[in-house]
Every structure is written in C-alpha cells, then in structure tokens.
Amino acid sequence: MIRIAIDGPSGAGKSTVAKALAAKLGILYVDTGALYRTIGYYVRSRNTDPKNAAAVEALLPNIEIDLQYVDGTQHVLLNGEDLGDRIRTNEMSLYASAVSAIPAVRSFLLDTQRDLARRYSVIMDGRDIGTVILPDADVKIFLTASNECRAKRRYDELIAKGQTTTYEEVLATMQARDAADSSRTVAPAVAAPDAVLFDNSWMTPEECTEGILNVIKEKLGDPADRI
Ligand code: DC
C-alpha cells in the first residue's frame, strides 16, 4: 500500500499532477475538494448561508455522499445523483471554502477520506491531507505557484468550460479563498512539517509530474514494489 498526500492552494495544479501520477503509478486519485464542493452545492440548493455553522450542521443528516471510480475518474454522488461539473463553478468554490471552515463538516467527511486510504493505494489532493487526514502518508507534497500563475490557470480552465468571468475576478476570488482556507482555525491549509515544498510557477505539468515522481522514488525506492 502507498499513500501520497498532495496539498496546496487552489490553482497550483494539484489535480492535473495527481491524476497523471495516479495513472503512472496505477493507484487511485482522490480529489477531496469535490467533497466540500458537493456539500456547498447542497447548502446552496437549500438557500442556506454557507457561513452559518449551525444551519449548515443541521443539513448534514440529509446528505449522503458516495464516491465512485469509473476508469480512474472520480464521480461524486449527492443523495444518489452525479453532479458532474455543476460543482466546478466560481460560486461553488466559494461555497466549498465557506463550509470547509465548519468543524462539523470536516468531521462528517473524515471517515470517507480515511476509509478510501485504508482500502486502496491512493494519491489524495486537498488542503489538510498531510496534516490531518493522512498524517502518516508515505510522501507529502505541498504544491504551490505564484498568485498570477494560479489565477491564469484557473481562468483558462473556467473559460474552456464555457463559463463567463474575467481574470481579475478569478484572481480576487482566489486570493480571498486562499486567505480564508489558510487562516481558518480547523485544519488550515498549511504545509505539514515533513512535506516537500514544490513551486511549479515556471514548470509545465509534465515537468512538475516528473519532479514529484523523482521525490516519490527517492523516498520509496521503486513505488511498484509497494503497491
Ligand atoms: O481543491 P478545491 O478547489 O476543489 O477545494 C474547494 C474548497 O474546499 C477549498 O477552497 C477548501 C476546501 N477544501 C478543504 O478545506 N480541504 C480539503 N482537503 C480540500 C478542499
């Protein structure tokens, strides 16, 4: 079994790199941000303020989240319904960030995440994987890039999906979200003391993937022997 944690702020390229590494290593890629986005989506659908901890907590018993993996692609089911790209909007990023600061939401999602890592070799991306979810992960990476690079990547992604926004709006939303995610009192998005810091501002996704693969090999020898 092998457990790799990739944490870092939004737009650092965690999902692109984690997906590529999962395919190379033949292990499961788990996108934990999708779980918080799904709760945000439900809270929005119930016209509830995502910052109102008591109101959000009261909704949790109505939520059942299932994760399914089809050909290595993660599908999140909210009460049996696959939400697809509906959780990938700028608005859902803000809802996810707001609900993720609520301790009851974090404990609601804890077992789902740990259970996957107990059953499968995983590469998990998020904000608190190396610090809280998998403190014993075999390899911990904290991936980041400059604000401008990250905002440009997120902007290109949203435009490619046909959404209407501006670079300035994406940059402002991203900075507000990062500030909230890294300053919250529960599970703030910070690097674990034993994480390897990786700034990929000037790297292509392929260079970043290779660089992290080298870190994994240095730590674990040939990962194929461990899976
Ligand atoms: O990775 P993402 O952009 O899809 O995450 C959406 C929000 O969810 C992010 O702003 C913070 C929160 N999140 C978290 O608190 N912990 C995680 N492990 C993953 C995401």
Side-chain angles (χ1 to χ4, degrees), residues 6-220:
I6 304 216
D7 291 302
S10 53
K14 298 187 297 294
S15 63
T16 307
V17 167
K19 251 181 235 166
L21 287 167
K24 273 183 197 280
L25 299 171
I27 63 177
L28 195 63
Y29 163 55
V30 181
D31 164 11
T32 64
L35 299 170
Y36 295 91
R37 287 172 180 271
T38 301
I39 295 198
Y41 183 90
Y42 185 80
V43 167
R44 168 82 178 78
S45 76
R46 300 294 301 266
N47 292 318
T48 300
D49 174 4
K51 293 198 167 136
N52 182 335
V56 170
E57 191 171 348
L59 293 178
L60 294 177
N62 306 327
I63 300 178
E64 197 181 292
I65 293 184
D66 286 313
L67 288 174
Q68 289 181 353
Y69 292 89
V70 183
D71 297 331
T73 302
Q74 174 177 294
H75 295 262
V76 189
L77 274 62
L78 168 63
N79 296 331
E81 188 189 2
D82 186 348
L83 297 176
D85 271 354
R86 278 178 280 170
I87 58 170
R88 301 279 160 208
T89 62
N90 230 351
E91 187 187 25
M92 282 312 123
S93 299
L94 291 171
Y95 267 78
S97 179
V99 299
S100 74
I102 301 172
V105 169
R106 304 204 75 85
S107 41
F108 181 77
L109 294 174
L110 185 78
D111 284 347
T112 306
Q113 297 170 79
R114 285 207 180 136
D115 192 49
L116 277 169
R118 245 193 311 269
R119 290 188 290 141
Y120 304 101
S121 281
V122 292
I123 180 159
M124 217 175 243
D125 94 32
R127 303 292 188 288
D128 64 338
I129 309 305
T131 49
V132 176
I133 305 295
L134 305 176
D136 297 329
D138 302 292
V139 182
K140 299 180 186 179
I141 306 285
F142 195 84
L143 196 58
T144 191
S146 71
N147 286 348
E148 290 69 25
C149 287
R150 294 187 293 114
K152 173 77 169 65
R153 289 175 192 162
R154 181 65 33 122
Y155 170 74
D156 289 345
E157 225 173 77
L158 292 172
I159 294 298
K161 283 190 181 143
Q163 297 183 26
T164 319
T165 184
T166 61
Y167 166 80
E168 287 71 25
E169 186 189 352
V170 174
L171 178 65
T173 310
M174 200 193 74
Q175 283 177 312
R177 184 151 73 99
D178 288 345
D181 291 346
S182 55
S183 66
R184 67 186 175 212
T185 43
V186 276
V190 294
D194 51 347
V196 176
L197 302 186
F198 223 89
D199 183 325
N200 66 11
S201 298
W202 308 111
M203 292 182 195
T204 63
E206 293 74 24
E207 286 166 343
C208 181
T209 304
E210 274 315 302
I212 296 180
L213 194 56
N214 286 337
V215 173
I216 294 171
K217 285 181 180 160
E218 267 166 36
K219 293 232 171 207
L220 303 181

